[in-house]
């Protein structure tokens, strides 16, 4: 997105964060950029099981090499972006669409994490009878 500065882009892409959560957010953004409707469609296009993809989207595992290869070959989203958030080498049109998708993916992840924290809090609080 043209109105974003480098600091905002760096934060959205989680540059230099190779953790599972940051990688999952980038994978979710890449999925949005593909235009595919279902996660199953991405799994099939990449030649992996839906479980393999679901685990990566949930931040339980890193994306499979076949997923990374598909994203690079079909959508010009490379390994350096997916694993470390490096976006400068991506084509301009990919970057433009990707940052919009990253905003959505970060928001979705934050909502998921907030939901998980509230469930933990509910379980931890004493039950009233």
């Amino acid at each position: 997105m043209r109105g974003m500065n480098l600091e905002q882009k760096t934060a959205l892409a989680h540059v230099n964060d190779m953790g599972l959560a940051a990688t999952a957010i980038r994978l979710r953004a890449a999925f949005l950029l593909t235009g595919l409707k279902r996660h199953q469609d991405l799994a099939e296009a990449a030649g992996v099981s839906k479980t393999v993809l679901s685990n990566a989207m949930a931040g339980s595992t890193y994306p499979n090499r076949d997923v990374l290869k598909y994203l690079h070959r079909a959508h010009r989203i490379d390994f350096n972006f997916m694993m470390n958030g490096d976006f400068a080498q991506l084509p301009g049109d990919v970057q433009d669409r990707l940052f919009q998708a990253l905003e959505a993916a970060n928001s979705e992840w934050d909502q998921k994490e907030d939901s998980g924290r509230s469930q933990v809090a509910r379980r931890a609080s004493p039950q009233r009878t």
Side-chain angles (χ1 to χ4, degrees), residues 1-65:
M1 300 183 81
R2 301 218 185 274
M4 247 183 244
N5 65 35
L6 182 60
E7 187 176 307
Q8 291 168 314
K9 289 180 177 182
T10 299
L12 275 177
H14 299 268
V15 173
N16 294 326
D17 184 346
M18 292 175 53
L20 287 168
T23 305
I25 290 167
R26 291 188 291 264
L27 180 57
R28 288 167 178 237
F31 167 73
L32 293 172
L33 188 133
T34 68
L36 297 170
K37 300 293 180 208
R38 302 173 307 144
H39 292 170
Q40 179 68 36
D41 297 333
L42 176 56
E44 288 173 6
V48 300
S49 71
K50 187 171 184 232
T51 302
V52 166
L53 182 64
S54 293
N55 287 341
M57 294 279 257
S60 300
T61 63
Y62 288 101
N64 176 291
R65 287 180 297 193

Side-chain angles (χ1 to χ4, degrees), residues 84-101:
N84 197 50
D86 300 324
F87 57 84
Q89 77 289 354
L90 296 173
D93 64 311
V94 173
Q95 284 189 43
D96 288 345
R97 295 187 341 253
L98 195 56
F99 283 105
Q100 186 173 3

